[in-house]
Amino acid sequence: MIRTDRLSSAFVVVAQPRSGSTLLSMALHAHPGIVCHDELFSRDFVHGYRPKESLEPQAANGVLATQLLEERSSDPEKFLFERVFAVGPRLQVGFKVVYSDLFAGTETSQFLRSFLIESRIRVIHLRRLNMLRCFLSVERMRRLGITHSNQPGQKSCGRLHLDLRDFTRFIVSQDNNCDLVARSMNIIANPRYENLPQGYNKVLDALGVLRRPFVEHLARLSDQSLSELVEDVELFRPFDFPRLPGFAAYTD
């Protein structure tokens, strides 16, 4: 039986884009009334365990990320309630998880899905409307061998050759994941990556804290034009924005 104590001030950011969700989690953490960790349930690592005193992702309150990973893997429920939700009563506390980790098919991801559904914890569902840019972000991170856009090193891998079938499969999988989250979880806010400053205030309203200006604490992975990013640009340009009709599951 999943515990439900300490959940009155708890929330989770369930997100489609990895870098966009880090933008949101860091902005939330900068709010004086919120503690927002980053990816605590990724498949192979714990990233962004943040004490309130610091925005630095490595500042794990004196605890090594390897120790956090071991604790999470051995007892994820204990990890949640003793490491994540154990904060003062005046603070809202949460963390983020991306689709690819939430639906990974591992024991940890299965626990987390059950927890999010059964506990009725508050969920902020962050989505990206432009699936082409989302796909490009995923592909660049994969080819550069990075998992977050704030990692040091090269941020360009040249123009990408994309397979239209891979892109279509990506859209369908994202739609399916989005639908599962929307139908089964306690969604309190639906911010959009493309409109994060406006969506940020709606998230603050849903959490019951005072509004503050949205401040980006993380550089975006790329602001290049589509022609600088993609080969066969005319083939993919119609998908750039707004999204083509026909994918009925992707609605707002």
Side-chain angles (χ1 to χ4, degrees):
M1 185 71 177
I2 290 177
R3 295 166 56 185
T4 57
D5 58 313
R6 296 185 187 165
L7 294 186
S8 60
S9 60
F11 67 91
V12 178
V13 178
V14 175
Q16 192 171 55
R18 181 165 248 127
S19 57
S21 53
T22 301
L23 281 171
L24 178 58
S25 66
M26 294 185 81
L28 288 171
H29 188 73
H31 191 289
I34 299 174
V35 173
C36 189
H37 305 282
D38 204 57
E39 291 182 35
L40 305 184
F41 282 85
S42 291
R43 277 167 283 189
D44 302 316
F45 58 85
V46 171
H47 177 273
Y49 179 74
R50 301 181 180 125
K52 192 60 194 174
E53 315 71 83
S54 174
L55 279 173
E56 292 298 320
Q58 283 73 36
N61 208 17
V63 183
L64 294 175
T66 51
Q67 180 182 339
L68 292 170
L69 179 59
E70 182 179 342
E71 290 179 9
R72 187 204 76 186
S73 300
S74 62
D75 192 336
E77 186 174 358
K78 182 179 179 181
F79 171 78
L80 270 180
F81 284 90
E82 295 188 4
R83 285 290 189 195
V84 182
F85 296 147
V87 297
R90 292 195 299 270
L91 290 175
Q92 304 284 336
V93 58
F95 62 95
K96 75 143 176 164
V97 59
V98 294
Y99 285 0
S100 57
D101 293 322
L102 186 60
F103 299 102
T106 63
E107 288 187 12
T108 300
S109 67
Q110 290 168 4
F111 160 79
L112 188 57
R113 279 202 314 281
S114 296
F115 173 78
L116 295 184
I117 294 169
E118 294 175 23
S119 71
R120 306 307 294 162
I121 192 172
R122 295 173 299 170
V123 169
I124 298 158
H125 190 193
L126 174 66
R127 295 162 55 201
R128 187 165 187 166
L129 300 179
N130 190 321
M131 282 289 91
L132 178 60
R133 296 285 174 164
C134 188
F135 185 63
L136 280 169
S137 179
V138 170
E139 281 295 294
R140 285 199 301 275
M141 286 184 173
R142 182 179 68 82
R143 298 186 193 198
L144 291 171
I146 61 177
T147 54
H148 292 82
S149 58
N150 62 335
Q151 290 179 237
Q154 184 185 16
K155 292 296 189 299
S156 174
C157 53
R159 294 170 70 214
L160 301 180
H161 176 76
L162 302 180
D163 188 305
L164 188 57
R165 291 169 297 181
D166 289 342
F167 175 51
T168 302
R169 283 192 289 266
F170 175 80
I171 294 175
V172 172
S173 70
Q174 295 296 298
D175 281 347
N176 289 338
N177 292 340
C178 169
D179 189 49
L180 285 169
V181 171
R183 286 190 293 108
S184 63
M185 297 179 190
N186 178 27
I187 311 296
I188 63 167
N190 288 281
R192 301 292 180 260
Y193 174 87
E194 287 83 357
N195 300 296
L196 267 182
Q198 297 82 358
Y200 177 68
N201 275 327
K202 292 180 180 178
V203 169
L204 298 184
D205 291 345
L207 292 175
V209 297
L210 293 176
R211 287 190 171 195
R212 289 170 62 90
F214 176 79
V215 179
E216 294 190 14
H217 296 276
L218 176 66
R220 296 177 189 246
L221 187 62
S222 173
D223 56 2
Q224 295 172 286
S225 68
L226 190 65
S227 60
E228 295 175 290
L229 296 171
V230 182
E231 296 178 3
D232 299 325
V233 64
E234 294 308 320
L235 180 62
F236 288 93
R237 195 183 300 281
F239 294 94
D240 198 18
F241 196 86
R243 194 169 181 212
L244 288 178
F247 297 97
Y250 199 95
T251 57
D252 295 295

